[in-house]
Structure formats: C-alpha cells, structure tokens
Amino acid sequence: MTLTADPRSRTTANPRRTRNLPADRPSSGGTTPAPAGRRPAGTPTLPAAAGLTATAWVEAVAELTRPDDVVWVDGTDAWRRTLIETMVTTGTLIPLDPELRPGSYLARSAPSDVARVESRTFICSEREDGAGPTNNWREPAVMRAELRGAFDGSMRGRTMYVVPFSMGPVGGALSKLGVQVTDSPYAALSMLTMTRVSPEVLRRVAAGEDFVPCVHSVGAPLVAADGTRTDDVPWPCNDLKYIVQFPQSREIWSYGSGYGGNALLGKKCFALRIASAMARDEGWLAEHMLLIRVTTPEGRPFHVAAAFPSACGKTNLAMLQPTLPGWKVETLGDDIVWMKPDADGRLRAINPEAGFFGVAPGTGASTNPVAVETLRKNVIFTNVALTDDGDVWWEGLTPEAPDHLVDWQGNDWTPADGAAGRPAAHPNSRFTVAAAQCPTIADDWETPDGVPVDAIVFGGRRATNVPLVAQAYSWAHGVFLGATVSSERTAAAEGKVGELRRDPFAMLPFAGYNMADHWAHWLSVGDVLAPETRPQVFQVNWFRRAADGSFLWPGFGENARVLAWMVRQVEQRRSGGHDPAHPSARPTAVGLVPGDGALDVDGLDLADDALDELFAVDPARWKAECDLTDEFFATFGERVPAVLRDQLRHLRDRLDDERLS
Ligand code: OXD
Ligand code: MN
C-alpha cells in the first residue's frame, strides 16, 4: 500500500520520496502519528478519529476497507488532471466537445443512484430524542457495528483517495476542516470544486488541527473476500445505502451511493447535519440558505440569507439579475450559509462551500442567464443529456429540444420521447462548477470574517395561502415562520412529487439534531443579536397560483421587486424613517405586506387582481393551516419552545381580528 500526495508517484514503493506526506510532518503538539498499538484495527466496531492523527485515522479506515492503495489529494491541478484521466479511462466521465464546453465532462449515474436517500439517512445521537421525530435514528453502538460490516473490505481492488478540505476560507473565523476518504474518484474530483482543497489545508490537517472525519465508499469492491476479481462499471454503487452522521463524535460514514448529496460529504452531511450540531453547541447557525448582496440605487449594500426547500429556485435567486433600474444583486452562496454573531452582536455569514452543485433542468437563458454563463467551461455535468455535437442539454436550457439527443441513461432520444413523458435529462440532473466562475460572484465572497446579514427569508413552493411576501412582526415571529415552512415535494429527494410537506427552516433532511431544539436555538441566537442590527425576517412565496392554476407572479428577475421592498423595510427600521402618510407596509394576520404602491410593479404585466390575490389572507383557510401546525407541533411534544406556541396563538388571534384580513 502506498501513501502519497503526488499523482505522478502514486505507484512508488517508497512513500518517503513523495511530497506533502502528512506522516512526514509532526503534529502541532510535536507528536508523530499514533503508534500502531493505538489503532483500533481489529476491534469489532468502526475506527473513530478521536485521539488519532489524521494519518493514523486514515490507516485505520484503510485497514477496515482494504483498498489497493491510499493516496492523499492536495487539490493541485496535477491531481485534478489525474482524477479526470482516471475516470475518462473507466468511462465514468465522457469528455464534452472542447470548443463548445471546454474542460467539461458528463457523468451518467446508475439509474438507481440519482438523489439523496432520506430513508437511509441517520442521525446517531446518543439518545433518540436528540435526533427528534424528523430524523431516522439508530443507537450509535448498533450503527457502528452495522457499518463495520458494510465497510469491511468495501474498497478492495480500489484506490482510496484522502481529501483534506476546508469548509469556508482556509483559516477563516467561521471555517472548519474535514478529511474525506473515498473510493470514488468522482467524489474526490467533485470535492476539489465544492470545497477548498489545497496544500495549505493538507499542512494544517497534518499539523494536528481538528477535522471532521468523513468516510465514503460506493460499496462496490472489485475484489471479493475470496480474491475473485470483478470488472468495474462507470458508476459503481450498492443497493444498500447508509448516510450516517454521528453528531456527538462529529463523524460521517456514507456507503453505497455516488450521488453528490450522499457522497460529497462536505456538503449536506458536514456543512449542514454535523455543522448544525456544532453550531448548537458553539452558539452559531448552519443553515440551508443562499446568500446574496443587494445594493440599492444609492449604493447601500444589504445582505440577505434565504432558506428554501430543495429545488425551489435557490440558485436562481442567488444569481438574480434585477429588472429594477439601479438595483444590483451579487452572489455569495447558493445552498448553505454559516452565520455567527460577532462581538458587536451583528450576525455575520459565510458560504462554507466553494462551488455550486445545482439542479440543471429549468436553468436557461430566460430563467437564469448567469448560471448559463457560469456553466460555459470546467463543469462536471451529471445525468444531463448529450447532444450530437458533444455538448449538453436539459429541459429548460432552450425553449426547443434538439432533434436528437442521447438521454441521461445513454439511450437515443427525440422530442417525441419528451412528449411521451421521458425527459432527456434526469429531473435531478446536476452541474458541479466553481463558484469563482460565476459572473455575479461578489469580489469579497471569500472574506474570512463573513458579511453582515440584514435580512433572513423563508420561502416555499405554495400554490395557496402564503402571500408573495410578508415581514415578521418580531424575531420570534420570524422563527415561527421558519418553523412552519412547507413546500411541495420535489425531485431532489425520493418520494412523491407534488405532495405537501413541512420543511421547517428548509432543514427537514439536514438538521443534525432535534428540530424543535433547532427552533429553540434560533430563539436564543436572536437574544444575543443587537436589536438595532438584528436581521429582519421575511416569508416569500413565488409560486402562488390563481384559480385557473396559472402563476400569479412572474418570478425570476422580477423577484428583485420583492427584494427591493424588503431592503427598504430594513432601511426604514434602521433609520426610523417611517412616513405615516405613505405606509410602506400594512399589517395582516400573517405579517406585514407591502402597503399601497410600496411594491414597485411598474412595467409588469400582471393579471387583473393579481396583487390582491397575491396578498389575500383567507382566515378560514389559515385557521385550517393553524390546525395542521398544531398537529405538526404535537409531533415534537414538550420540546416545542413555548414562544412558538404563543406565536401560533397570536396568529389565531390575529385571524379573528377582522381589521387584519
Ligand atoms: C441540494 C438539495 O442538492 O437540497 O442542494 O438537495
Ligand atoms: Mn440544497
């Protein structure tokens, strides 16, 4: 077995000849890697990283999983090229036309491995109520023993890639380190784009800095225990899957899937599930949110963090091109935000990721021209369609489909197939691309101290009830809005598309601990924020429909009008500049909505009465929704913060108040 960080010398028999070898460096405490006797190999449970150096932990994992070789990946271009070449050779990556899509590749997954598997995602807290009713729980010791069985020899015949990475700018105030070991070159390569992987990160990990250990195996060994060899396939995976988080020991073990949300462990597993547990313990927030800067025509910048359930247009909003003259929107992040109160009681935010792993279908020149521009080169596409000239296509990229394509499963496809309900690209097909390539990325998107957050937005995909925009009456009301978010089910996870599901804080599949405790944590973070600069909280719904089923609001770039109203509300709160003759907002039972003329709809071709319908609050329907909220809260029992039960009562009282409907 060799141990090297240099792709050119991975077959060397002498690891000492290679560069960047963690074992060559002392840890910060001056200790050398753990002696073999401290390694838990041979024990009936999984190796844990606690108390081990990174090198010793990697060795222990290798002893369990038995790869042919172990290589340390330090993110250099040589590594990127090596991983790509490896996958082109095995057929995992199909090179795209170098003129049409320079530096870009297409991967086709196994048809069974196209989305996150929530049914096989586990939060193994010490006690079941630590995970809460919205998570799958298994007792840690039981899960450790089960995983040991699954990972035993799971990498036989394969290479184990060790990828030390940083979530957030390396060394930044809110940043954290991780080490992912994986037998998937696709996961290793994607990690180079989605996180920060560099010789400096390797050096820090080797020097003994804390890291979150992340183990990933596709669960498809090429050599069986009896030594029989099988041929590899372009997308190895296993029908049995485990996506396991141990919040207490901050460990991640993922088995059986190569799909991004299950396999790129820095993303959902670390930056949301494990980080949310860290954040609870350390007084900050790890959230499923995008992050943008909105600059007013007067040149004043405001930062907005917005939570939407999966596949509800977060990437579109993150890359929005305002239609309102003079307004500017810059991108800081499209999926995850870490936020922490600073010494002045101001909430500061970073995007812990370095790339976008976005949903391709629906991304086109009319919906998200910035994303289309971002995807011109250096992209790994997964499960989109291939054009005859070696480019990619997906539903929504152009209004018309090409006459012939090869679909996401490698079959010939014509528009007649589309008409028959067989999409060319999988509905959850993805692009993986560096954030730095985005034309609207803010110059300072990597600022290590983060940006101050001025507004927090909760959205969902709701055909009825929820107004286009409403401002919370208070932080507690804002937490209530977050706790009661609901949306229609999408293709990003398994399940029936269209069904309504509660998705509190858009964190349902991502909270690393009891969701009700997450609400309590949000309330307590609010308490340490300075009242003058505490973010205002809003709820939005771009998806409300008229009785005939048509959308009432055009969405996309026009959402800038809603952002502009929110920013003006924040400005007004800060300056106290409220003009009673022209109120910018009017109270309703569910929150403050734009006052007459306060939402700029100039030049918009809205249907008659669309504005009335967009902001209509129907007390009867809302009371029915309150009953559902009661039922939903009941699933968390006594853990629901009393403040949120009060908020539900206040909402009911307001619904009874005729002046507010
Ligand atoms: C994602 C998701 O992939 O939320 O971002 O599922
Ligand atoms: Mn997401």
Side-chain angles (χ1 to χ4, degrees):
M1 193 163 76
T2 61
L3 190 60
T4 167
D6 185 344
R8 291 159 307 175
S9 54
R10 57 189 286 188
T11 53
T12 182
N14 179 5
R16 298 269 151 199
R17 276 179 42 217
T18 65
R19 64 189 169 84
N20 294 335
L21 178 66
D24 286 339
R25 298 162 191 269
S27 72
S28 57
T31 54
T32 47
R38 276 176 58 204
R39 271 185 260 130
T43 53
T45 184
L46 284 185
L52 297 184
T53 63
T55 324
W57 170 72
V58 167
E59 274 178 37
V61 175
E63 233 160 284
L64 171 66
T65 55
R66 304 264 155 211
D68 275 3
D69 58 355
V70 177
V71 291
W72 289 72
V73 180
D74 64 4
T76 49
D77 281 348
W79 256 117
R80 212 175 269 273
R81 280 195 302 274
T82 299
L83 288 165
I84 289 172
E85 276 161 25
T86 306
M87 284 188 279
V88 170
T89 309
T90 56
T92 303
L93 291 186
I94 300 166
L96 296 172
D97 183 87
E99 303 266 304
L100 297 173
R101 209 55 75 162
S104 302
Y105 299 84
L106 168 64
R108 292 191 189 118
S109 80
S112 61
D113 197 23
V114 291
R116 288 183 290 97
V117 274
E118 291 176 14
S119 57
R120 298 295 302 167
T121 300
F122 300 90
I123 299 295
C124 297
S125 45
E126 292 304 314
R127 291 167 40 136
E128 186 165 5
D129 60 1
T134 58
N135 282 315
N136 300 314
W137 177 82
R138 275 306 162 73
E139 199 185 321
V142 171
M143 182 54 95
R144 294 189 86 84
E146 215 173 296
L147 286 176
R148 190 179 197 284
F151 278 91
D152 194 355
S154 72
M155 297 188 187
R156 277 183 208 274
R158 296 192 181 277
T159 294
M160 177 202 267
Y161 300 94
V162 185
V163 190
F165 61 94
S166 174
M167 297 312 293
V170 181
L174 284 77
S175 303
K176 304 259 180 211
L177 298 178
V179 177
Q180 173 159 345
V181 305
T182 177
D183 55 5
S184 158
Y186 170 89
L189 177 68
S190 305
M191 286 293 286
L192 302 192
T193 298
M194 294 306 297
T195 71
R196 284 140 178 115
V197 183
S198 65
E200 166 63 6
V201 175
L202 181 64
R203 194 194 59 71
R204 284 173 179 261
V205 164
E209 283 192 26
D210 270 358
F211 66 92
V212 169
C214 311
V215 184
H216 172 244
S217 172
V218 291
L222 294 172
V223 178
D226 64 5
T228 358
R229 221 165 231 286
T230 39
D231 288 340
D232 205 356
V233 292
W235 189 275
C237 60
N238 194 310
D239 286 346
L240 177 66
K241 295 184 180 18
Y242 289 96
I243 320 296
V244 182
Q245 286 71 203
F246 294 99
Q248 196 109 358
S249 52
R250 320 280 200 222
E251 275 172 87
I252 299 161
W253 291 79
S254 168
Y255 178 89
S257 170
Y259 170 76
N262 305 322
L264 315 184
L265 302 188
K267 194 174 180 63
K268 304 299 188 181
C269 302
F270 179 171
L272 289 175
R273 299 195 189 100
I274 292 294
S276 62
M278 290 172 149
R280 170 201 54 191
D281 297 347
E282 298 168 6
W284 51 283
L285 298 163
E287 299 297 325
H288 190 205
M289 290 179 166
L290 63 90
L291 185 62
I292 51 178
R293 174 180 302 137
V294 182
T295 305
T296 66
E298 303 79 43
R300 280 193 290 272
F302 291 82
H303 295 100
V304 179
F308 291 80
S310 302
C312 278
K314 285 222 301 296
T315 306
N316 291 346
L317 183 55
M319 299 179 185
L320 177 139
Q321 299 263 271
T323 48
L324 281 182
W327 289 80
K328 185 171 164 192
V329 172
E330 289 162 277
T331 310
L332 288 115
D334 80 326
D335 196 39
I336 300 178
V337 171
W338 287 357
M339 299 184 280
K340 189 175 182 174
D342 69 11
D344 299 327
R346 192 106 201 240
L347 195 60
R348 300 194 76 87
I350 62 162
N351 166 16
E353 300 192 279
F356 305 131
F357 176 65
V359 178
T363 307
S366 62
T367 56
N368 191 340
V370 175
V372 171
E373 208 42 54
T374 307
L375 301 176
R376 291 254 166 256
K377 55 179 190 216
N378 306 329
V379 190
I380 304 294
F381 294 98
T382 306
N383 289 341
V384 302
L386 181 65
T387 65
D388 292 348
D389 50 7
D391 201 0
V392 283
W393 192 85
W394 50 80
E395 280 70 18
L397 177 61
T398 53
E400 300 280 312
D403 288 342
H404 176 262
L405 292 166
V406 177
D407 75 5
W408 68 278
Q409 289 178 283
N411 302 316
D412 285 323
W413 185 96
T414 65
D417 291 297
R422 278 188 302 281
H426 186 276
N428 193 35
S429 54
R430 298 282 176 150
F431 52 78
T432 308
V433 67
Q437 252 181 231
C438 174
T440 55
I441 198 83
D443 284 349
D444 58 346
W445 75 284
E446 302 199 86
T447 181
D449 294 332
V451 295
V453 181
D454 302 292
I456 287 174
V457 178
F458 295 109
R461 190 182 276 270
R462 293 292 309 268
T464 59
N465 282 22
V466 178
L468 175 64
V469 59
Q471 182 178 0
Y473 287 116
S474 63
W475 181 264
H477 183 215
V479 174
F480 176 78
L481 293 180
T484 52
V485 165
S486 54
S487 194
E488 284 141 29
R489 216 179 256 279
T490 71
E494 299 173 309
K496 200 162 142 234
V497 174
E499 197 178 288
L500 196 72
R501 76 168 188 173
R502 291 277 171 174
D503 194 349
F505 284 78
M507 284 287 279
L508 189 72
F510 307 124
Y513 61 101
N514 191 309
M515 184 62 81
D517 296 354
H518 183 241
W519 304 337
H521 181 56
W522 264 81
L523 292 168
S524 67
V525 168
D527 288 343
V528 301
L529 295 175
E532 322 77 66
T533 52
R534 190 188 288 141
Q536 293 296 308
V537 183
F538 300 85
Q539 179 174 40
V540 298
N541 176 23
W542 318 134
F543 303 98
R544 195 151 174 180
R545 289 176 190 257
D548 66 1
S550 60
F551 285 113
L552 288 163
W553 180 249
F556 302 108
E558 305 298 359
N559 292 338
R561 297 168 188 269
V562 176
L563 287 175
W565 179 75
M566 294 193 282
V567 160
R568 293 301 189 207
Q569 287 297 100
V570 172
E571 252 184 338
Q572 198 184 74
R573 283 281 169 124
R574 297 248 170 98
S575 66
H578 172 70
D579 174 1
H582 301 284
S584 61
R586 76 181 158 84
T588 72
V590 298
L592 291 166
V593 301
D596 267 353
L599 180 73
D600 186 343
V601 289
D602 259 14
L604 266 193
D605 188 18
L606 291 181
D608 292 348
D609 297 338
L611 279 182
D612 289 345
E613 288 186 59
L614 278 164
F615 292 106
V617 175
D618 177 335
R621 294 186 76 123
W622 267 100
K623 281 181 190 167
E625 187 146 339
C626 288
D627 294 345
L628 293 177
T629 300
D630 252 337
E631 282 172 28
F632 176 59
F633 279 179
T635 60
F636 299 93
E638 292 307 302
R639 271 177 123 108
V640 177
V643 170
L644 295 192
R645 291 196 189 279
D646 291 347
Q647 284 297 327
L648 181 56
R649 216 184 47 247
H650 297 330
L651 172 57
R652 283 191 162 119
D653 290 347
R654 291 194 299 262
L655 289 166
D656 282 334
D657 183 341
E658 274 161 22
R659 288 165 306 170
L660 292 178
S661 54

